[in-house]
Amino acid sequence: MEEILNKPYRDHGAYRVPEGYFDSLNRRVMDALPDGERQTPRGLRLWLTTKARYAAAACIAAAAMLAGTAVYYAHDGAEQETVTAAIQQETMTDDYVQECMDYAMVDGNDLYSYLSEQ
């Protein structure tokens, strides 16, 4: 299988380099470098600048305000849903009692007299 795949490319030698290319490569690269001492890059010290401190404080304050707003609206929405559920439950309970009274053919006076006797 390998012979079949390599056969078309065996005779061509598409990637050739001149004789002695790698022997002199190291010298040519070193000659291309500038002379003199190598300078080390200076590090950027962000936390020593006043602007960076103010920017970080502003980002933290904005994140805290955003989180507080989200919590406020989430809590307010949950409280509103609780009140709505309680109202719906009370309404459904009243509707259920009314339906039971209609089914049993009991009016308000009969219910009142029954409750007042006990």
Side-chain angles (χ1 to χ4, degrees), residues 17-25 27-28:
V17 293
E19 293 292 326
Y21 177 79
F22 290 109
D23 296 335
S24 62
L25 179 65
R27 182 185 48 79
R28 285 184 285 134

Side-chain angles (χ1 to χ4, degrees), residues 13-77:
Y15 301 104
R16 293 189 185 262
V17 293
E19 293 292 326
Y21 177 79
F22 290 109
D23 296 335
S24 62
L25 179 65
N26 189 23
R27 182 185 48 79
R28 285 184 285 134
V29 169
M30 293 304 285
D31 289 343
L33 293 175
D35 292 336
E37 288 187 28
R38 204 172 137 197
Q39 295 180 351
T40 58
R42 288 182 47 192
L44 182 61
R45 296 182 280 181
L46 287 176
W47 291 110
L48 295 181
T49 62
T50 307
K51 283 184 181 179
R53 288 183 183 176
Y54 285 131
C59 288
I60 291 170
M65 288 185 351
L66 182 64
T69 303
V71 168
Y72 172 76
Y73 282 116
H75 177 66
D76 188 40

Side-chain angles (χ1 to χ4, degrees), residues 40-104:
T40 58
R42 288 182 47 192
L44 182 61
R45 296 182 280 181
L46 287 176
W47 291 110
L48 295 181
T49 62
T50 307
K51 283 184 181 179
R53 288 183 183 176
Y54 285 131
C59 288
I60 291 170
M65 288 185 351
L66 182 64
T69 303
V71 168
Y72 172 76
Y73 282 116
H75 177 66
D76 188 40
E79 185 177 310
Q80 188 70 7
E81 287 175 8
T82 305
V83 170
T84 304
I87 291 171
Q88 286 176 351
Q89 184 177 5
E90 184 178 323
T91 304
M92 287 193 302
T93 304
D94 291 344
D95 290 342
Y96 180 71
V97 169
Q98 186 64 40
E99 187 177 327
C100 289
M101 288 175 57
D102 289 342
Y103 182 75

